Amino acid sequence: MGTLDEKLHSLRAGEISAEQNIQNFLDKIENEKYNAILYVNSEALEEARNVDRKIKQGRAGKLSGLAIAVKSNINVKGLKTSCASKTLENYSATYDATVIERIRREDGIVIGMANMDEFACGSSGETSYFGPILNPAARGRIPGGSSSGSAASIAGGLSDLAIGSDTGGSIRNPASHCGIIGIKPTYGLVPRQGLIDLAMSFDQIGTLGRDVYSTALLLEVIAGYSKREAVSRKVENLDYTSKLTPDLEGYKIGYVTEFEELTDRRINSEIKKSLEKLEMQGAELVEVNLPNLNKALPTYYLTTFVEFFSATRKYDGRRYGYKIEDVCGEEILRRIHIGSYISQKEYSGKYYRKALQFRSLITRELLEALRDIDLIAGPTTPKLPHRLGEKISPLDMYSYDVLTVQAKQVKSEISLLEYSFRQNLLKNRRFSM
Ligand code: GLN
């Protein structure tokens, strides 16, 4: 399999048509065994033929007929945006999310809607109302979550690229488990309009792909200021692809001792090898301490439970057909109940306000650590994926997120460095930022 860069060249040179590209994926999706794609875009071929016309006229955009799988919590006009929940099983989006408008503008083609953990709550891809997603890269193991279908569609060859959402790890975690690339962009870099909330102060739409170049290219397409939203950032330079370089001379890369203490030794030994490679490429390794890391998980869960509870109040049975509590899975119900409990006035000081204080503390600590280094390198999850269907406790499930939940608002330039860094790790495909 060539790189996506090569495929783009072939598409532009007319060696393959966008229509053939899309037809190939539609055939594969029809027989797929991963339960990765829930709905197919019935207009994809027609859209591809339009792109072919533009290619012939030399005016096709950056994505020139590439197939994009979209997580089922991002609105695509006319397609079922169910959040993999019975609650929204009959909801078809009435508009395109801003990121979808941008993908279409650059001639990317939405191939279908990807399966996911229900309402993006989960780390294993097992909580979808439509059944679990399988891991194409590790048979019998969970694919990670919650953007499980997006990751599996890349690893299983069902689309060129995918988009997902990441609140506390939901892109990075499945990318890591499926051996592909995934990125959670800095908060505010990518417009969130059209994304169905899990927790609005954490959620970001991001990209998944099988190589660094294409994952960065898709980010380049969807990133950038949008006047529709208050938290959108004005970032001047959105060119992520021309800066990819294997040269790490002058880079200071931090590794976190607390990460190592929390992580399975088999993963640690892979990380160690990768760090040594980075050093060989010219980077300077710097030890970093994050002593408040142990507060990250409870802070994340308390805050997101409250935000999720509030986000779900609109599913009251009058607008979307079902009342969420009547039809949702166990994990969703748990979050609604805990969120409702800790939102009560008499408890808010005890839990929610304290969590917000810890959140600022963790952010400060991370920004402080990043002041003297270019980036932090480390494992994505502390343990290897468990067997599909194996019963694990909610707390064990939450602990998959201990290394990813603290990603917060850091300066957007970090993203560029992450990509450069990523390219060096391509050979070690288990590694994902
Ligand atoms: N596993 C985390 C959770 O269940 C992350 C979810 C996400 O990033 N959407 O909350």
Side-chain angles (χ1 to χ4, degrees):
M1 211 178 338
T3 65
L4 268 202
D5 194 17
E6 285 160 8
K7 188 188 239 186
L8 270 173
H9 279 113
S10 309
L11 279 162
R12 290 196 187 119
E15 288 157 21
I16 51 161
S17 65
E19 186 177 355
Q20 279 162 338
N21 188 39
I22 296 301
Q23 187 64 59
N24 280 344
F25 285 122
L26 291 175
D27 293 344
K28 284 193 193 156
I29 290 172
E30 206 175 308
N31 300 311
E32 68 128 332
K33 298 178 295 290
Y34 312 116
N35 200 16
I37 302 290
L38 292 178
Y39 315 101
V40 161
N41 175 11
S42 57
E43 282 165 24
L45 277 176
E46 184 56 39
E47 291 171 24
R49 286 191 278 270
N50 283 336
V51 173
D52 281 329
R53 274 190 283 278
K54 285 173 86 175
I55 290 175
K56 284 212 182 83
Q57 295 159 358
R59 50 184 195 93
K62 282 181 175 177
L63 300 173
S64 291
L66 293 182
I68 323 285
V70 177
K71 186 173 181 179
S72 286
N73 60 352
I74 298 168
N75 280 280
V76 180
K77 192 173 176 185
L79 292 188
K80 289 244 163 87
T81 308
S82 66
C83 291
S85 178
K86 186 170 171 65
T87 318
L88 294 178
E89 71 174 342
N90 296 318
Y91 169 67
S92 287
T94 51
Y95 67 99
D96 279 338
T98 308
V99 293
I100 301 299
E101 285 174 2
R102 291 180 178 182
I103 286 172
R104 292 196 199 279
R105 210 189 302 148
E106 294 295 340
D107 296 315
I109 293 168
V110 173
I111 191 88
M113 303 302 285
N115 204 354
M116 57 186 275
D117 278 305
E118 185 174 12
F119 281 107
C121 295
S123 305
S124 71
E126 294 170 300
T127 70
S128 166
Y129 170 64
F130 303 101
I133 298 104
L134 310 189
N135 186 338
R139 263 180 71 183
R141 301 271 158 183
I142 56 153
S146 63
S147 308
S148 330
S150 304
S153 80
I154 304 293
L158 307 177
S159 67
D160 289 309
L161 286 163
I163 54 175
S165 67
D166 190 315
T167 312
S170 275
I171 290 176
R172 292 161 288 164
N173 165 314
S176 169
H177 284 332
C178 293
I180 59 154
I181 317 286
I183 179 133
K184 177 184 192 183
T186 303
Y187 191 81
L189 183 68
V190 174
R192 255 187 33 239
Q193 189 258 2
L195 167 69
I196 298 176
D197 297 327
L198 190 181
M200 58 188 277
S201 77
F202 291 82
D203 296 338
Q204 270 292 280
I205 296 175
T207 58
L208 300 96
R210 65 170 194 253
D211 57 39
V212 176
Y213 173 83
S214 58
T215 314
L217 179 72
L218 188 57
L219 183 64
E220 215 170 87
V221 168
I222 63 172
Y225 179 72
S226 163
K227 61 176 187 307
R228 286 188 190 137
E229 47 191 82
V231 294
S232 184
R233 289 168 163 235
K234 285 201 166 123
V235 181
E236 300 259 302
N237 188 356
L238 292 172
D239 170 8
Y240 299 139
T241 42
S242 69
K243 292 196 176 63
L244 295 171
T245 161
D247 180 14
L248 292 180
E249 207 60 56
Y251 278 53
K252 281 191 177 169
I253 298 184
Y255 64 93
V256 182
T257 31
E258 288 83 359
F259 281 8
E260 198 179 330
E261 286 157 19
L262 292 167
T263 302
D264 183 292
R265 65 180 164 72
R266 287 166 295 179
I267 299 177
N268 276 335
S269 95
E270 290 300 313
I271 299 296
K272 194 160 170 274
K273 282 188 233 156
S274 299
L275 289 173
E276 281 163 10
K277 273 190 220 155
L278 297 179
E279 212 171 11
M280 268 155 31
Q281 307 256 17
E284 180 191 340
L285 298 184
V286 182
E287 184 177 330
V288 169
N289 285 104
L290 297 175
N292 285 304
L293 186 70
N294 59 355
K295 300 185 182 65
L297 213 51
T299 300
Y300 168 81
Y301 275 99
L302 286 176
T303 329
T304 55
F305 283 175
V306 170
E307 290 187 23
F308 183 60
F309 168 64
S310 144
T312 55
R313 294 310 82 204
K314 56 183 168 290
Y315 310 122
D316 55 5
R318 280 177 294 178
R319 268 165 282 196
Y320 298 97
Y322 298 107
K323 184 175 173 197
I324 187 167
E325 288 88 341
D326 291 343
V327 292
C328 70
E330 191 187 318
E331 180 57 29
I332 299 300
L333 206 53
R334 178 171 17 258
R335 292 184 191 215
I336 289 174
H337 284 160
I338 303 177
S340 146
Y341 178 79
I342 58 184
S343 307
Q344 288 169 29
K345 204 159 172 265
E346 50 273 47
Y347 299 120
S348 72
K350 199 165 157 195
Y351 300 111
Y352 188 57
R353 219 162 312 138
K354 197 148 275 162
L356 290 182
Q357 284 164 359
F358 280 144
R359 188 174 176 182
S360 328
L361 180 74
I362 293 160
T363 307
R364 274 203 306 278
E365 184 174 278
L366 208 51
L367 287 175
E368 182 72 19
L370 285 165
R371 213 176 35 206
D372 300 323
I373 55 175
D374 296 301
L375 60 101
I376 290 174
T380 306
T381 60
K383 49 188 175 178
L384 295 168
H386 61 263
R387 280 189 197 289
L388 198 70
E390 186 182 323
K391 273 262 162 259
I392 69 169
S393 73
L395 283 182
D396 279 343
M397 189 66 88
Y398 299 163
S399 70
Y400 269 113
D401 305 324
V402 66
L403 307 174
T404 43
V405 287
Q406 70 279 7
K408 256 290 285 164
Q409 305 187 31
V410 290
K411 58 180 197 277
S412 56
E413 288 79 4
I414 292 294
S415 314
L416 298 179
L417 298 164
E418 280 173 1
Y419 298 134
S420 321
F421 167 60
R422 204 58 176 88
Q423 201 175 42
N424 284 279
L425 294 173
L426 260 183
K427 285 203 194 86
N428 181 0
R429 301 184 71 208
R430 275 196 160 280
F431 213 92
S432 119
M433 291 284 294

